[in-house]
Amino acid sequence: MQVPAQVEYERATSVAHALALLTRYGPEARILAGGHSLIPMMKLRLAQPETLIDINGLAELSYIRVADGELQIGALTRHAELLDSALAGEHFAILHDAERVIADPVVRNWGTIGGSLCQADPSEDLSATFAALKAIMVICHPDGSRTVSARDFHTGPYETVVAPAELLTEIRIPIRAGGGSAYKKVGRRVGDWPVGAAGAAVWLAGDTISDAGIGLTAVGAQHFAATEAEEFLRGAPASEESFARAGEIAAVHCRPSSDQRGPADYKRHLASELTTRALRRALRRARGEGA
Ligand SMILES: Cc1cc2nc3c(=O)[nH]c(=O)nc-3n(C[C@H](O)[C@H](O)[C@H](O)COP(=O)(O)OP(=O)(O)OC[C@H]3O[C@@H](n4cnc5c(N)ncnc54)[C@H](O)[C@@H]3O)c2cc1C
């Protein structure tokens, strides 16, 4: 039987209270959101926090809204809420594409957006999704808050820029005209982690790509992004040829490793093919040509 080690438990009543508790208990304290990643790690003794600070009562961190020209998502929003949000889907269809293929309904009902991002698993789907959308993370600390680009949020596998006394509170996605987005994933079975996945966002000026975002996960892409392929697309015609070339560039610059999910060359192939397919679908959506 797997049993976590002895741990203290505190229930935060507000963001300010959570921050005060983090400061009081120091670096051995951990935030408990949905617990879908943290509790299994504690059972395996891969994580042994001294104190859990439960933020599940913080309704102020659970919302999806449009304000200041951005889609704003509270860190405690559950996967299922994002999947159900018509507002999120209307602006960024990629969010629904990704949520539909993350885990299963049990995990999605309680797992949170903030918990997924802070867990920083190198195969995590939303990290690639928010990288493609060029999202901004809001991190609160006892003296105020700071913002960090999604691409600067992860510092390595299972590591982020969130310091021990800080809390991720919100994800912001700028809403820009002429855009479309999509996510494509290959997993070994329904509800499984990706063997490889790609998210794409394109913004058009007529038939030209004015800007593009490409996120990759599980294939060793730096910062979950394919920046060289994005650069190639900027100013290029929105065509099948451009997307195929962008896929090739994305594949060249990622560094997949062979593991139980598949060999590295297969993952590299997926990086190329899924990038091209996600771009194709994002373009259709940008042109209003359906889902
Ligand atoms: C069976 C299963 C299948 C899964 N399949 C997939 C999949 O296909 N794709 C995928 O992307 N994911 C998958 N996951 C991962 C799942 O999405 C995450 O486990 C879950 O969403 C993490 O969120 P949580 O709220 O449970 O985080 P928790 O487990 O509560 O926390 C995770 C970490 O983040 C920290 N943390 C949480 N919230 C904050 C915050 N606001 N600020 C600072 N630190 C914070 C915690 O201290 C902890 O270190 C799967 C998980 C399971 C169990």
Side-chain angles (χ1 to χ4, degrees), residues 22 29-41 52 55-56 61 75-76 78-79 101-104 107-108 110-121 123-127 160 162-163 166-169 183 185 191-194:
L22 283 171
R30 291 287 277 276
I31 294 292
L32 175 68
H36 275 298
S37 291
L38 183 54
I39 300 296
M41 286 180 68
L52 287 181
I55 58 169
N56 280 283
L61 287 183
L76 197 67
R78 313 282 170 185
H79 290 293
V101 293
I102 290 177
D104 50 45
V107 173
R108 291 200 295 263
W110 204 242
T112 67
I113 309 308
S116 284
L117 295 170
C118 290
Q119 179 65 18
D121 189 296
S123 300
E124 208 273 310
D125 285 294
L126 289 182
S127 302
T160 72
V162 181
E166 293 185 322
L167 191 67
L168 173 67
T169 53
Y183 194 74
K185 167 172 168 174
D192 198 3
W193 293 83

Side-chain angles (χ1 to χ4, degrees), residues 15 19 138-146 166-167 169:
V15 168
L19 292 170
V138 182
I139 299 168
C140 281
H141 49 78
D143 302 319
S145 66
R146 62 190 177 109
E166 293 185 322
L167 191 67
T169 53

Side-chain angles (χ1 to χ4, degrees), residues 30-92:
R30 291 287 277 276
I31 294 292
L32 175 68
H36 275 298
S37 291
L38 183 54
I39 300 296
M41 286 180 68
M42 288 171 63
K43 285 181 169 180
L44 293 169
R45 309 280 171 122
L46 293 172
Q48 265 183 268
E50 290 173 4
T51 310
L52 287 181
I53 300 172
D54 186 346
I55 58 169
N56 280 283
L58 305 189
E60 65 197 279
L61 287 183
S62 180
Y63 54 84
I64 300 168
R65 65 189 177 210
V66 169
D68 303 325
E70 302 164 328
L71 184 74
Q72 301 177 345
I73 303 168
L76 197 67
T77 302
R78 313 282 170 185
H79 290 293
E81 291 169 332
L82 190 54
L83 181 56
D84 285 347
S85 166
L87 189 65
E90 177 196 328
H91 290 287
F92 301 106

